[in-house]
Amino acid sequence: MNKSRAPLLAATAALLIAAPGEAFQASLSSKTHDWSARTALNAEPTSPSSSIPNVGATASIAFVAAAMTFSAVAPISPANAVSGGGLDYAGIDISGQDFSKSTIYKGKDFTQVIAKGTNFAGSNLQGCRFYKAYLVNTDFTSADLRGASLEDTSMDGASLLDVDARGAYFGQSLLDVNTLENGDFTDAQIPLKTLPLVCDRDDVKGTNPKTGVDTRESLMCP
């Protein structure tokens, strides 16, 4: 809860509880006066207590209503929304932003993210989920994509130069990337119909500078 609103909530609750109490005193005084007058006139009396309102219940209901209203209007911290919901960067637009040379994104969820022209060069993206992400012109140069999920993505013009993609998961969009040169794709999961077309590319060559593995060998290309 926003600490700056705590005093306001407390004051509101106090007023809500006090107000029914004042109404009760006025009602009791009125009923007592009416009972005394009827008694004096030999009319059948009615006990003042039979008409006393349920102050405790009234105050409780009013307090709960006030608390619900406060909760509805209280702002939600974006940080809490991310960490609490566990969605990380899923479904948001991070186009053109710099996520390069960092280790804080390991295992993050980038599902359906829009990352056109985003720079992930040199970052640790192990186990990240890029399922159905928009990765047009995205830079993954020298990134660690081990075990990352990149199925059903749009990767037109993306750079996988020097990438470590061991055990990563790719879809047909791997054919649309700008370059695969010097990449290590050992144990990467690539659709059977897509792999032969990947091997036919001129840029499937070189040696990964990190692992020392030949790119064609890592893809088991003939």
Side-chain angles (χ1 to χ4, degrees):
M1 178 185 294
N2 191 326
K3 293 183 179 180
S4 64
R5 298 198 179 200
L8 177 60
L9 179 58
T12 302
L15 288 173
L16 288 168
I17 295 174
E22 294 172 0
F24 163 71
Q25 294 295 338
S27 176
L28 178 60
S29 177
S30 175
K31 295 297 180 181
T32 302
H33 177 76
D34 179 66
W35 179 76
S36 299
R38 290 192 182 193
T39 302
L41 296 173
N42 294 322
E44 185 176 351
T46 301
S47 173
S49 62
S50 64
S51 300
I52 296 175
N54 189 338
V55 178
T58 302
S60 298
I61 293 173
F63 180 80
V64 170
M68 291 176 66
T69 301
F70 178 82
S71 298
V73 300
I76 298 176
S77 168
N80 291 337
V82 172
S83 61
L87 295 177
D88 299 320
Y89 299 93
I92 65 175
D93 190 342
I94 57 172
S95 295
Q97 296 187 31
D98 188 2
F99 284 73
S100 65
K101 299 178 181 179
S102 178
T103 60
I104 66 174
Y105 308 117
K106 180 180 178 180
K108 295 296 184 180
D109 187 358
F110 291 90
T111 298
Q112 295 184 325
V113 73
I114 301 174
K116 183 178 181 180
T118 301
N119 185 7
F120 287 102
S123 282
N124 186 341
L125 303 173
Q126 289 185 61
C128 285
R129 182 176 172 83
F130 287 93
Y131 182 65
K132 290 189 175 182
Y134 189 75
L135 304 174
V136 173
N137 297 326
T138 302
D139 189 0
F140 289 108
T141 299
S142 299
D144 188 342
L145 284 171
R146 284 179 290 171
S149 173
L150 296 105
E151 303 107 313
D152 292 338
T153 56
S154 298
M155 300 184 69
D156 300 56
S159 175
L160 295 181
L161 178 69
D162 298 338
V163 73
D164 182 358
R166 289 175 288 173
Y169 297 81
F170 293 97
Q172 294 181 353
S173 62
L174 185 60
L175 293 171
D176 302 321
V177 302
N178 181 53
T179 181
L180 297 168
E181 188 171 354
N182 298 337
D184 185 349
F185 299 91
T186 302
D187 297 326
Q189 303 299 307
I190 301 171
L192 292 177
K193 293 182 179 180
T194 302
L195 183 56
L197 300 175
V198 170
C199 290
D200 287 341
R201 292 176 57 120
D202 294 334
D203 58 351
V204 178
K205 61 182 180 180
T207 302
N208 188 269
K210 174 183 175 182
T211 65
V213 173
D214 181 85
T215 297
R216 292 192 67 83
E217 289 182 1
S218 72
L219 289 165
M220 294 186 292
C221 295

